[in-house]
């Protein structure tokens, strides 16, 4: 029996990750990778209530063994025909001493992600303002986001000639989430990014023809003042 | 009677311009601005045959009076509710002495474009590899494309807070057109950009929510080697 | 008799231009191009009082004929062995409608500059924050500065293999000048750029070996907050 | 007794590191950090023969304890008045699997460098073409060089207001060294970068006034074709 293609979303929180999962679930069964299973389980229920197919898998993207176990479980559940992989995991952008763990282990997680499936036509990484702008007191987040962008670009050069679309999305603003509503952080609600609108752009990147591919987009709300 | 929104495509040649016109014609009546009316007339017929509404207007984007006349004619035909304006006009990227005419007059054309309609929610400029890369012997094309990109960015900063989506598309490759097929220029046919696929990305930019806007994309074929 | 090499500084105002002229006058006779001869004449006197050789030439960099006359006069005075040409002329960065005159004519001035001398080993252009950043309401200045940078880059690609060092200097801050002192514009005096210190970096660019050349630098005061 | 200021060069190989050490030794006693002491010892002898003061310290920049020991030894020998620190250590740019060790530990080394001395007015990092360009098969080198550049930029934003000049030098070409001569790698000898000329630009960065600072330069030979 022909396998049905599915999508993997690594890193599903209340913002971009959940919205991208819902958007891709309109077309594909989705495998959700999350460190904590609570939010991911609720998201699975929500997607199923909307008629989609989803399953959550607990995994720590910075732990190679944890990722291996998760990919084994994904294969058993969905097979090997991965149509798109979205890497949305991230360290928290709060000021702190140099911490590189999530950054260097990210490489392992990614390597596994590419290596464990037969073929991934689309691979999308989630970046941030810090991917292209270097602010003071933000060394770990800035350096890891710059590094992730470099990784995306080198993977793009290496795998696009093989037909893999590797793209990097710079989320250049604050996303509407329960947390950012509660804290009224940084900007008014109207000035915040709509995660469902972001997810449409992720889907457009996946839907692009191989004869017209974009390897990076930045996303801003209309009232972002830069 | 409520006016129906329409789109303007300035610069309709056999590649991106025609494809973008066909794509936007699925949703809107389209006003085509072209220096020569022959190709534009055929495109009007083709769009009408597909069930769309189109009209062509002869205009020289580097001549203020010519643009004024064209915009008067557009208003009479389609009204003032412009939903999207695509600026695809360009000088030819062939080596030649410093020529700035199309570049400085472009500013007038654009100024008119913004000034003559009630409100343009989307304004898209077509750039090229030369918008971000400076090669030898290409001074006029490179300088004008860099300048167009700067213009797009400053307009974006000025008009996005008012809800206008200003975007810049870097066409980073050779487009499939009769001319490029004939001349087998630069690269194999498979390595060339599909203009219909490009047009989908123009449409996606127009369709983006104001709460998640992208101000620049680059488009490449999968086998572009950079 | 062997000619003595000299330097041309086009655009000598109270800030960068005068400081660069003084710095290069420590090594070379300098030809100063200025639209108004008053300030340039005073600068000539000052340089001569310091033991240097200088002469001012009235010229409008946006007027081809004016530039031709000035270059004829320079040749008669200093010969044809130009060691360095600094293009420091600029339109004023004040908000105003699209004005391209200084920008497109700049190309003529430059073309003449390169064409009228035997060989120019160093060609330096003065840019601004607007060369790389696009702010609202600043279209003419931003577009012309982006265009000048693109011109510098394409000239660099074309002429560096011939041993010409083409460099672009981004002055990313407010310069200490009588005008900026008077107006207390934008920032404290301590936060402003020292033009003599800037001139040292122009000189370093000129002094770089052809086996280790820099084609762009940005200059900021230490307390610039970006 | 007033302490004499000294310079630290971390990473002294036959190319940039040695040349920078020789250049700074014209002005300061220099402390050389190297993984292997053989080349560093010869360099010390060479600098002393030229009338300079130098001492080498064995250290592994990716090992916190090793760096602590080296900084203790430097303090004992030269005191705490460090005038400039040049971070020239690097992993090798050869294709290989993801390796982050030198990269993430680099952060520790740097932190120690800043923390162990009283005050470092100049801190210069050595980058490469891979700092700004992402080629295929070069993930580890590209990602670490992008990360190092991001680190330099964030440190610049944080420490420049305190008067520390943090700069990043992109060595965009092959350097003349015994190894590159032997292997005739990539380009002709004439097309290669002269390390002594590079060192002059490092010195210029150190000599820049705090009222006119450059935070990044790229260095190319004149015949670099990009």
């Amino acid at each position: 029996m022909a396998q049905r293609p599915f999508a993997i979303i690594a890193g599903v929180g209340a913002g971009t990750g959940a919205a991208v999962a819902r958007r891709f679930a309109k077309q594909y069964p989705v495998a959700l990778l999350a460190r904590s299973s609570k939010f991911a389980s609720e998201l699975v229920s929500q997607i199923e209530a909307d008629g989609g197919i989803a399953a959550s898998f607990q995994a720590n993207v910075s732990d190679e063994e944890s990722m291996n176990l998760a990919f084994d479980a994904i294969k058993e559940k969905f097979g090997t025909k991965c149509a798109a992989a979205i890497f949305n995991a991230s360290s928290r952008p709060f000021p702190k001493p140099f911490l590189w763990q999530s950054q260097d282990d990210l490489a392992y997680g990614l390597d596994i992600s590419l290596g464990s499936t037969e073929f991934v036509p689309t691979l999308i990484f989630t970046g941030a303002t810090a991917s292209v702008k270097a602010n003071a007191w933000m060394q770990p987040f800035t350096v890891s986001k710059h590094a992730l962008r470099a990784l995306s670009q080198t993977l793009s050069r290496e795998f696009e000639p093989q037909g893999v679309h590797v793209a990097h999305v710079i989320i250049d603003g604050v996303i509407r989430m329960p947390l950012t509503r509660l804290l009224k952080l940084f900007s008014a609600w109207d000035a915040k990014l709509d995660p469902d609108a972001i997810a449409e752009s992720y889907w457009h990147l996946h839907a692009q023809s191989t004869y017209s591919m974009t390897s990076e987009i930045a996303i801003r709300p209309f009232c972002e003042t830069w």
Side-chain angles (χ1 to χ4, degrees), chain A:
Chain A
M1 194 188 78
Q3 288 190 7
R4 184 173 172 189
F6 67 97
I8 299 173
I9 292 91
V12 283
T16 304
V20 168
R22 285 193 303 266
R23 180 62 187 83
F24 278 70
K26 290 183 184 176
Q27 184 78 22
Y28 300 118
V30 291
L32 313 179
L33 287 181
R35 187 181 285 244
S36 121
S37 58
K38 191 173 173 296
F39 182 82
S41 297
E42 291 169 10
L43 185 58
V44 166
S45 303
Q46 191 184 334
I47 287 170
E48 289 174 344
D50 291 340
I53 297 169
S56 72
F57 301 86
Q58 213 209 332
N60 176 355
V61 296
S62 67
D63 178 341
E64 187 173 4
E65 194 182 351
S66 163
M67 288 296 277
N68 276 331
L69 289 171
F71 276 97
D72 286 346
I74 289 174
K75 273 190 209 174
E76 199 171 330
K77 176 83 178 173
F78 290 120
T80 55
K81 199 166 181 176
C82 181
I86 318 296
F87 193 88
N88 190 56
S90 179
S91 60
R92 292 281 164 246
F94 298 130
K96 56 182 173 188
F98 289 112
L99 280 174
W100 284 77
Q101 286 74 3
S102 65
Q103 185 52 31
D104 71 316
D105 294 356
L106 175 157
Y108 288 104
L110 183 82
D111 191 36
I112 294 158
S113 168
L114 284 171
S116 296
T117 55
E118 279 183 346
F119 183 73
V120 183
T122 307
L123 179 59
I124 305 179
F125 294 90
T126 300
T129 310
S131 303
V132 289
K133 195 173 174 189
N135 289 319
W137 303 299
M138 294 293 280
Q139 279 81 3
F141 189 64
T142 301
V143 170
S144 64
K145 282 298 186 188
H146 273 69
L148 181 63
R149 186 181 181 231
L151 181 61
S152 172
Q153 289 179 352
T154 54
L155 291 171
S156 180
R157 302 286 164 100
E158 186 164 337
F159 293 104
E160 282 200 358
Q162 302 169 31
V164 178
H165 186 180
V166 181
H168 182 248
V169 179
I170 298 169
I171 307 287
D172 192 13
V174 177
I175 296 173
R176 296 180 186 181
M177 291 190 292
L179 183 72
T180 59
R181 179 189 284 276
L182 193 67
L183 298 181
K184 297 188 189 306
L185 271 174
F186 304 115
S187 56
W189 189 249
D190 269 353
K192 288 192 172 71
L193 289 161
D194 174 3
D196 292 325
I198 293 173
E200 289 298 328
S201 289
Y202 276 71
W203 181 257
H204 175 68
L205 288 171
H206 173 57
Q208 278 189 319
S209 156
T210 48
Y211 298 107
S212 173
M213 300 200 301
T214 298
S215 53
E216 181 167 271
I217 60 172
I219 284 175
R220 293 187 192 89
F222 76 99
C223 38
E224 170 68 45
T225 52
W226 276 276

